Amino acid sequence: MAVVIAIVSLGFAGYLVFPTMDITAQEQPEIFVTHTGAVVQTTGDVLDPVYTIQEVEFDPQKYLREFDYGKVSQLEDGTTLREFTIIAEDDKIMEIAPGIFYNVWTFNGSVPGPTIRVTEGDLVRIHFTNNGSKEHTMHFHGNHPAEMDGIFEIVGSGGGQFTYEFIAGPVGVHLYHCHVMPVEEHIGHGLYGVFIVDPKEGRQQADEMVMVLNGFDTDFDGENNLYAANTIPFYYQHHPIQVNTNELIRVYVVNIVGLDPINNFHLHGTLYKYYPTGTDMTPSYFSDMTTFSQSERGILEFEYEYTGRYMFHAHITEFSDKGWSGLFYVKDSSQPNMEVYDYGS
């Protein structure tokens, strides 16, 4: 039995349909209040995701600057070995916006999965376990042998395992994602993450952060209802990213939005140097606007001269109006931190 929840939130009305799950539905009144305070109107028997199945808690502020360097050791020939454990699951629910619950498929319990960071020439070893109910894989963008491509090495459900191993390269910002058909479904539910390969000589010191541009089709009609930078719509608009004046900021941007042919990134108050895919140490251009197709990515580097609040957002108004919008709070050392900002005040 499918579960239908009528939702009025973020300025639009719609229906969220949960597919049948092996969980007993609970009978609820016609209206209930979620743990975030949102009022949800329901019809018939509903599956209450707050109390009946595990919810995914995701902190975009923590994810922004969190990098997983793996378990590091040295081989006899001097090669650095970095080992990672990645677990796929597909039975979790995330409240991606107040009152809007979505069945997310996760790598290590989050959407996006962990940001895997290595150095060019490292031996990368990924211990992958599929604890989901469907078949899954991990496909890495970049260089690797054919048998490590995550296309034909299907990992079975219920604990199937596979070890991916390859030499890291080329330098740049890449991504990984499940490549089981239909790929649109597996990516659309959240099985993706960022894969950064640093140059051996390193990059200039900077305040580094990751932004994954994603979207969610919550009513399964083939069109995205919500957009975001790092999963939660409008999060950085109400929790601005705090940076300092005259400090280099480096943003690794990956566009994973499906169902739309393009996305873009517009920055207010300054311009950035843009490095497509990050494979070249020389920027391609200096601008405040970059357009991405799905899986396209790059590195943005910029500084702010003046203090204040500056927007960054999609310059596709539908995307920004539905969540892909945020703020940088630029301060000097004498100014206090800002925790929450009431946008529009």
Side-chain angles (χ1 to χ4, degrees), residues 5-7 9 16 34 36 38-40 95-101:
I5 301 179
I7 297 171
S9 180
L16 177 60
T34 73
T36 59
V39 177
V40 179
E95 188 175 13
I96 57 175
I100 299 180
F101 298 90

Side-chain angles (χ1 to χ4, degrees), residues 269-286:
T270 189
L271 277 70
Y272 50 76
K273 297 176 182 178
Y274 182 65
Y275 305 78
T277 316
T279 51
D280 197 321
M281 301 299 283
T282 302
S284 293
Y285 55 82
F286 189 52

Side-chain angles (χ1 to χ4, degrees), residues 234-278:
F234 298 112
Y235 183 87
Y236 298 119
Q237 193 163 283
H238 299 288
H239 303 80
I241 299 171
Q242 300 179 43
V243 298
N244 297 320
T245 55
N246 303 310
E247 181 178 29
L248 181 64
I249 301 163
R250 180 176 298 121
V251 184
Y252 298 91
V253 178
V254 174
N255 177 49
I256 199 65
V257 170
L259 306 178
D260 293 283
I262 62 169
N263 197 352
N264 55 35
F265 190 111
H266 172 50
L267 181 65
H268 286 210
T270 189
L271 277 70
Y272 50 76
K273 297 176 182 178
Y274 182 65
Y275 305 78
T277 316

